[in-house]
Amino acid sequence: MASLKALKVRIGSVKSTQKITKAMKMVAAAKLRRAQEAAEAGRPYAQRVESVVASLASKVQVTEGSSPLLAGHGRDQVHLFVVATSDKGLAGAFNSNIARLARRRALELQAEGKTVKFLTIGRKGRAVLARQFREGFLPPVEPGDLGKLTFADAKRYADDLIARFTAGEFDVAHLFYATFKTVLTQEPTERQLIPVQIPVAPVSAAPTSDAVVEYEPDEESILASLLPTNIAVQIYRAIRENAASEQGSKMTAMDNATRNAGDLIQKLTIQYNRTRQAAITTELVEIISGAEAL
């Protein structure tokens, strides 16, 4: 049985941990509000840019002279997974859920004979994936605090991605991140970045509008300008969603840790009181026994 001193030290240690987790929960709650507002404010623009690009792509005839970001390289053998997580832990299953989705999709593609490479934005995603895959990792990106990243950072990531695609390092790029739903729910999401996905309308679908649209300049010129912008916008959207998801998951994890620490303190306190009472009872019995012997 643990001694009274050991129990007292452990209770003090757990109380100190509880103070830390409670403070971290408050910090995450303060950051969550700003991150959630930024994520929700950016969604309409990102969705609109994506829909405009998809609409234009569906109206353009893909030829050999079309932009590679639209037409691709004519093959889909090498797939690049851009796995966006964070550099920090203590966020529950936030990082592992994103990496788990990427790992499952990678195994599916490998089973089809495809080659999968990884470009990780965040150390935690790379750490999880490295347990399953020993090769195929490009130099990682360590973004630091997700809440401080700007669109310029996202554009830099996008330019690097486009340069690698132009150089023929991969054929298809997929983006993995977590979509923020609520404080308790963050949904791992996969999105194809390169080449752009052209929506296939049902044969029976009726046109939504009879308006005649004229493009100046032509559709291909507009697409050539919009496609790189769309990639940067989608990466920035993923960063904003991840920033909110990270703080929501961290807030939940720290709340659970604080409550668990409280339960442990209660159990240790009961054990301490019982041990102390047993020690007092033993001393009293010894005193009474000694007095009777006299």
Side-chain angles (χ1 to χ4, degrees):
M1 181 178 293
S3 65
L4 289 175
K5 183 178 180 180
L7 286 171
K8 193 171 183 179
V9 169
R10 191 178 180 193
I11 290 173
S13 176
V14 176
K15 284 183 177 179
S16 298
T17 302
Q18 186 183 42
K19 290 180 182 178
I20 295 172
T21 56
K22 189 178 295 185
M24 292 180 68
K25 174 189 173 184
M26 294 175 64
V27 171
K31 291 184 176 181
L32 172 63
R33 181 178 179 182
R34 295 191 296 270
Q36 181 178 354
E37 290 175 352
E40 292 176 348
R43 285 174 186 170
Y45 180 76
Q47 291 170 352
R48 187 58 179 169
V49 170
E50 187 177 39
S51 64
V52 168
V53 170
S55 176
L56 284 172
S58 64
K59 297 174 182 178
V60 171
Q61 184 177 2
V62 179
T63 62
E64 294 182 358
S66 299
S67 170
L69 297 177
L70 173 64
H73 292 318
R75 56 185 185 274
D76 65 342
Q77 179 60 33
V78 181
H79 291 251
L80 177 65
F81 282 14
V82 183
V83 184
T85 56
S86 70
D87 283 344
K88 302 177 182 178
L90 300 178
F94 162 69
N95 293 304
S96 59
N97 283 342
I98 300 172
R100 192 176 296 116
L101 174 61
R103 181 178 60 189
R104 184 169 64 249
R105 289 286 294 115
L107 292 175
E108 291 175 358
L109 288 174
Q110 287 182 343
E112 297 174 3
K114 310 294 184 181
T115 300
V116 179
K117 296 182 178 180
F118 298 95
L119 174 60
T120 56
I121 303 177
R123 292 196 303 266
K124 293 301 178 179
R126 185 183 184 91
V128 176
L129 291 170
R131 300 171 191 166
Q132 179 80 34
F133 306 97
R134 300 298 180 184
E135 55 185 15
F137 288 91
L138 300 180
V141 177
E142 298 180 1
D145 189 347
L146 296 178
K148 295 181 179 180
L149 294 179
T150 63
F151 181 74
D153 297 309
K155 190 176 186 306
R156 188 172 67 253
Y157 302 153
D159 291 342
D160 177 69
L161 199 64
I162 294 172
R164 292 180 181 277
F165 176 70
T166 304
E169 293 187 21
F170 62 90
D171 303 320
V172 183
H174 308 261
L175 177 63
F176 294 84
Y177 62 97
T179 300
F180 179 82
K181 298 292 185 181
T182 65
V183 176
L184 299 175
T185 307
Q186 300 86 35
E187 181 181 352
T189 304
E190 176 189 359
R191 186 179 302 275
Q192 181 173 315
L193 276 181
I194 303 175
V196 63
Q197 284 187 307
I198 302 176
V200 180
V203 178
S204 59
T208 57
S209 174
D210 294 329
V212 177
V213 180
E214 293 185 2
Y215 296 96
E216 181 64 34
D218 57 272
E219 293 95 327
E220 291 190 2
S221 300
I222 297 175
L223 270 177
S225 175
L226 275 182
L227 287 172
T229 301
N230 178 60
I231 295 173
V233 168
Q234 299 310 322
I235 292 178
Y236 187 61
R237 175 188 185 180
I239 291 173
R240 296 289 85 205
E241 294 284 352
N242 269 1
S245 298
E246 180 189 20
Q247 298 305 327
S249 184
K250 184 173 292 186
M251 181 179 171
T252 302
M254 292 302 101
D255 180 62
N256 291 335
T258 301
R259 287 189 284 104
N260 291 339
D263 294 340
L264 182 56
I265 290 171
Q266 185 177 4
K267 292 179 181 179
L268 290 173
T269 301
I270 293 174
Q271 184 180 353
Y272 175 84
N273 291 335
R274 287 176 177 174
T275 303
R276 181 170 176 270
Q277 186 63 43
I280 294 173
T281 303
T282 301
E283 291 179 1
L284 288 175
V285 169
E286 291 176 352
I287 293 172
I288 293 172
S289 300
E292 291 179 350
L294 295 174

